[in-house]
Amino acid sequence: MLGKRLREIIGKITKKPYIDEGDVKVMIKEIQKALIAADVDVRLVLDLSKRIEKRALGEQMRALTLKQHVFQIVYEELVKLMGEGYSPRLERHKVLLCGLYGSGKTTTAGKLAHFFKKNGLKPALVAADFDRPAAIEQLRQLATQINCAFYSAASLEEVLEKVKEAREDVVIIDSAGRNALDERLLEELRSIYSKVAPEEVFLVVSGDMGQSAGKQARAISEVVPISAVIVTKMDSSAKGGAALSAVSAANAKIAFIGMGEKIEDLRLYDPKKFVGRLLGIPDIEGLLAKAKEAGLEEVAEEELTAETLLKQLKAAKKMGPLKNILSMMGAVDLPKELVVQGEEKLKGIEAIIQSMTKEERRDVSLLKRQPSRIRRIAKGSGRSEKEVREFIAQFEKMEKLMKRFKKDRGMKRKLEEMFKRWQG
Ligand code: GDP
Ligand code: MG
């Protein structure tokens, strides 16, 4: 599934202590592959990868926050790919549903009735399938289950009568489907539309259709002005993301998504929530905001010492449990023990730094080859000497990476200056 692939790709980046241009490029290639494998239109994928590359590498790179920065960009671009959100019409109105057989139209009619009822409006379901008694019966049963009004009609004229008679707030018409978008279906839609004058026309498509959902939205909208698309079977289709992106590329809005067979399995469409779930982090926005609030970014700008590391740890703690931070960084499918271990490790590092003198915090190398200092810190922090030595080794690794990164940045700046001089 697309979500799993994306989570793995971002997880890979997260595991690295430090990422560079090459890592970003590899990540983009992998995102491309994942989206194309999920049937997203190649042109959309190429546009998206160009934008991610331009933003991730164009905006200034910072060692400690680059991962978060790249993550935020990937998230934002995926959200853009998946279209806009939708506000439901919570007032008296008529809804016409159209779509092919098996797209989930009748089920969705029931789900919508349930949705409006929950929102304090009285719904009515109207069966406008004149050929298939079974389809009428299916809608009648849904109406009984939801406990809402139900009308069936044997002809278009009768549908009109029923719709006029109906005293309910939201009248939902389940039009007849077809196996294909043939002339007869389009003609029928055209005449229902012009006679009933519904305020909302929803096209129902199945997520299984993948990118061809976009073509269908375009074709139908030439016959009747659709107000939005409802994409069903998002719970079970591997091509759901492709359907959503294609529909929004066809300039159609997505109103709801179907997430199962039951009447309550309908969700108002929110691309941010959709991408959040795809990446395994329901509240990405909240977490990114928290990171800013906690001052993680500013701290990360300072030079790396044990002192600034301590500040970072404290800032990170403000963001909530480690599990959230790790999942924000994309490391989602982590086993619980690892998270608990990680939490314990961070506490250890904090205790160790707190037992260091000011001098040592500024210059961790003072601890090397000084067993007496290590012993003192171990005692003070209640950690073993081995742990203190591990901390020193880890810290040195981080320092090296930071230095390498700074050098790269210095090189980049020098090159840029050279270019400018040549051009000037
Ligand atoms: P219609 O021919 O367009 O009216 O389609 P139906 O409403 O009869 O649905 C066709 C099949 O798709 C039925 O078996 C439904 O239970 C199933 N279905 C509809 N919506 C969803 C959904 O969101 N998720 C899943 N998993 N199945 C759905
Ligand atoms: Mg039906």
Side-chain angles (χ1 to χ4, degrees):
M1 292 282 277
L2 178 61
K4 190 160 174 277
R5 294 279 307 272
L6 289 175
R7 291 199 288 278
E8 282 165 3
I9 294 164
I10 291 174
K12 244 193 246 168
I13 284 259
T14 307
K15 272 187 224 124
K16 300 197 168 188
Y18 150 97
I19 63 171
D20 59 20
E21 209 171 312
D23 293 319
V24 174
K25 286 193 168 150
V26 169
M27 176 199 74
I28 292 172
K29 277 259 147 58
E30 289 182 341
I31 292 179
Q32 282 179 349
K33 268 194 241 156
L35 290 171
I36 289 172
D39 191 43
V40 177
D41 186 326
V42 176
R43 270 169 310 173
L44 295 180
V45 174
L46 291 181
D47 284 349
L48 171 108
S49 15
K50 264 189 222 137
R51 279 200 308 270
I52 294 181
E53 182 166 344
K54 200 164 154 214
R55 291 185 56 194
L57 301 178
E59 292 166 20
Q60 205 191 14
M61 302 219 298
R62 298 185 209 108
L64 287 176
T65 49
L66 179 61
K67 281 194 288 193
Q68 190 193 321
H69 177 65
V70 166
F71 182 69
Q72 177 148 12
I73 290 170
V74 169
Y75 164 69
E76 285 170 3
E77 292 297 335
L78 283 171
V79 170
K80 261 192 237 160
L81 178 74
M82 298 302 173
E84 285 168 48
Y86 174 83
S87 328
R89 193 186 278 263
L90 293 177
E91 58 188 25
R92 224 185 134 80
H93 70 291
K94 297 180 291 277
V95 179
L96 175 63
L97 293 180
C98 53
L100 300 182
Y101 277 151
S103 57
K105 206 155 30 77
T106 303
T107 311
T108 302
K111 288 175 177 175
L112 281 174
H114 178 69
F115 170 83
F116 286 116
K117 195 170 174 191
K118 260 194 336 203
N119 281 282
L121 292 162
K122 265 205 180 115
L125 288 169
V126 181
D129 193 328
F130 318 123
D131 307 326
R132 296 190 313 158
I136 299 172
E137 198 41 45
Q138 187 192 353
L139 195 66
R140 186 199 305 277
Q141 278 171 15
L142 282 167
T144 309
Q145 189 190 342
I146 297 156
N147 194 14
C148 75
F150 172 76
Y151 305 96
S152 70
S155 66
L156 181 54
E157 282 62 44
E158 227 179 296
V159 170
L160 284 179
E161 264 169 47
K162 297 281 160 72
V163 168
K164 254 192 214 129
E165 270 168 32
R167 288 286 145 260
E168 287 75 19
D169 302 314
V170 187
V171 177
I172 301 161
I173 305 160
D174 181 20
S175 73
R178 279 289 178 283
N179 288 319
L181 284 185
D182 55 23
E183 252 328 291
R184 199 170 142 223
L185 171 69
L186 298 179
E187 190 43 53
E188 213 169 280
L189 272 178
R190 217 176 275 142
S191 67
I192 292 196
Y193 176 77
S194 63
K195 296 200 169 112
V196 173
E199 285 83 356
E200 297 274 16
V201 181
F202 291 137
L203 167 67
V204 180
V205 298
S206 157
D208 295 333
M209 287 190 74
Q211 53 174 294
S212 47
K215 275 178 221 134
Q216 199 175 105
R218 253 191 227 108
I220 293 257
S221 62
E222 279 169 16
V223 180
V224 290
I226 55 172
S227 29
V229 177
I230 297 177
V231 184
T232 64
K233 305 183 195 178
M234 288 297 294
D235 54 314
S236 56
S237 157
K239 294 182 174 181
L244 297 178
S245 59
V247 167
S248 63
N251 281 325
K253 265 197 177 164
I254 296 153
F256 293 93
I257 54 181
M259 296 292 292
E261 303 192 45
K262 295 197 290 294
I263 50 166
E264 61 271 19
D265 296 333
L266 183 75
R267 293 209 188 125
L268 255 179
Y269 182 57
D270 177 347
K272 288 179 181 167
K273 282 202 183 129
F274 176 74
V275 173
R277 270 196 300 271
L278 211 54
L279 300 179
I281 310 148
D283 182 23
I284 296 190
E285 301 254 303
L287 275 162
L288 290 174
K290 262 192 193 161
K292 266 222 167 83
E293 211 177 279
L296 253 185
E297 296 194 13
E298 282 136 56
V299 179
E301 287 286 291
E302 292 173 34
E303 184 161 15
L304 179 69
T305 64
E307 188 68 50
T308 56
L309 183 62
L310 186 63
K311 260 204 241 172
Q312 274 189 51
L313 290 177
K314 285 192 172 147
K317 242 180 29 193
K318 271 197 242 160
M319 289 177 54
L322 181 64
K323 189 170 165 287
N324 292 353
I325 304 170
L326 288 175
S327 67
M328 177 185 83
M329 305 302 244
V332 267
D333 303 323
L334 279 181
K336 210 173 157 201
E337 307 90 69
L338 249 183
V339 174
V340 175
Q341 268 175 27
E343 201 90 58
E344 200 34 50
K345 258 217 170 97
L346 286 186
K347 259 192 228 152
I349 293 177
E350 222 182 303
I352 288 170
I353 299 177
Q354 256 150 359
S355 299
M356 287 161 63
T357 63
K358 270 222 164 79
E359 221 188 347
E360 289 163 347
R361 289 188 200 184
R362 241 174 280 136
D363 183 4
V364 173
S365 70
L366 286 176
L367 306 183
K368 276 170 78 180
R369 288 180 295 277
Q370 293 232 30
S372 62
R373 288 192 195 246
I374 293 178
R375 220 172 299 134
R376 193 200 77 240
I377 293 169
K379 249 200 199 128
S381 62
R383 305 280 147 166
S384 69
E385 289 177 35
K386 185 169 159 259
E387 273 174 282
V388 179
R389 276 192 296 272
E390 264 170 22
F391 164 73
I392 300 169
Q394 258 177 0
F395 187 84
E396 283 183 331
K397 253 193 219 157
M398 277 177 81
E399 260 183 330
K400 261 193 212 140
L401 288 168
M402 290 292 289
K403 274 193 195 127
R404 206 169 77 199
F405 187 74
K406 282 227 172 85
K407 240 200 281 173
D408 288 351
R409 252 171 78 177
M411 273 295 277
K412 226 174 142 188
R413 214 175 298 132
K414 265 185 214 148
L415 278 173
E416 277 166 10
E417 277 165 23
M418 263 167 69
F419 269 111
K420 266 188 210 143
R421 233 174 289 146
W422 282 342
Q423 282 168 345

